Structure formats: structure tokens, C-alpha cells
């Protein structure tokens, strides 16, 4: 199933980029039994890291950034409204820093 999903993502990314679009993958926080199951069934090296490698795209994995890692989903898979806003601000900051096209668009006053 993982192989199929990644192959589909690779094909979708190619289509999006062929039309001039950009793709960034975002992995939001999860916790508790939900995270434990995810890590057991879909280890990062075999899923997330492989997805980025095979698509050639940038990704933001919450655990890699202190501001995002500190967020604790109260029901293991969804953030509170306040934490969702914090998460969004944190990942937008990473996008602006790491995705050159977004910086150019912002500097030119264009909507990304």
C-alpha cells in the first residue's frame, strides 16, 4: 500500500509541476496511541523520507521544528484551535524561509 501511495504521489506531483504548480508536503502533529500506531505501521524512513526523496519535493515534518514539536493534540490527531493557529504560523514561517518561490512572490506583493 505504501509503494502504491508513493507512486501515485510521484505521478500527481509531476502533473502539478507540469502546470507550473509547486508542492510542499506537511506532516502535522499527532500523539499518544495514534502516533505510536503510525510509527509502527508506517516508519518515517519508509514513508515520509521516501516520499520526499522520490517526489523531489520539500516537506515540513512537525517533529523537526521545536515550535511545532511542542504542540500536543488533546485527542491525539487534532490540535486545539489555538494550537492550530500556532502550527500554521510556524509552518508558514518555514515555507517562507525554505521555498524560494514563496519569498519572491511575497516580495513582489503577489499572492502565493
Amino acid at each position: 500500500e505504501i509503494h502504491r501511495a508513493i507512486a501515485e504521489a510521484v505521478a500527481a506531483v509531476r502533473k502539478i509541476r507540469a502546470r507550473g504548480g509547486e508542492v510542499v508536503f506537511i506532516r502535522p502533529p499527532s500523539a499518544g496511541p495514534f502516533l505510536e500506531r503510525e510509527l509502527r505501521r508506517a516508519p518515517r524512513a519508509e514513508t515520509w523520507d521516501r516520499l520526499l526523496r522520490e517526489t523531489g519535493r520539500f516537506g515540513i515534518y512537525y517533529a523537526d521544528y521545536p515550535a511545532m514539536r511542542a504542540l500536543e493534540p488533546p485527542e491525539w490527531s487534532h490540535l486545539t484551535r489555538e494550537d492550530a493557529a500556532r502550527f500554521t504560523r510556524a509552518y508558514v514561517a518555514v515555507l517562507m524561509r525554505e521555498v524560494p518561490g514563496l519569498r519572491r512572490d511575497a516580495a513582489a506583493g503577489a499572492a502565493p
Side-chain angles (χ1 to χ4, degrees), residues 96 99-112:
M96 296 302 290
V99 181
L102 291 177
R103 288 194 305 270
R104 283 192 305 272
D105 290 344

Side-chain angles (χ1 to χ4, degrees), residues 17-29:
R17 293 193 40 91
R19 294 184 206 130
E22 186 55 81
V23 175
V24 174
F25 293 98
I26 298 173
R27 169 56 165 94

Side-chain angles (χ1 to χ4, degrees), residues 56-67:
R57 304 294 27 143
F58 177 68
I60 299 172
Y61 195 102
Y62 79 95
D64 294 340
Y65 301 92

Side-chain angles (χ1 to χ4, degrees), residues 1-17:
E1 190 173 319
I2 291 169
H3 301 295
R4 180 186 51 76
I6 290 175
E8 289 174 3
V10 167
V13 166
R14 281 190 192 126
K15 287 179 184 177
I16 291 167
R17 293 193 40 91

Side-chain angles (χ1 to χ4, degrees), residues 45-82:
E46 297 172 24
T47 55
W48 178 261
D49 295 343
R50 182 176 162 205
L51 173 69
L52 299 184
R53 186 174 58 253
E54 292 190 21
T55 60
R57 304 294 27 143
F58 177 68
I60 299 172
Y61 195 102
Y62 79 95
D64 294 340
Y65 301 92
M68 295 179 221
R69 185 179 24 219
L71 302 173
E72 188 70 27
E75 59 186 48
W76 307 324
S77 65
H78 293 87
L79 296 168
T80 63
R81 180 183 305 260
E82 295 80 17

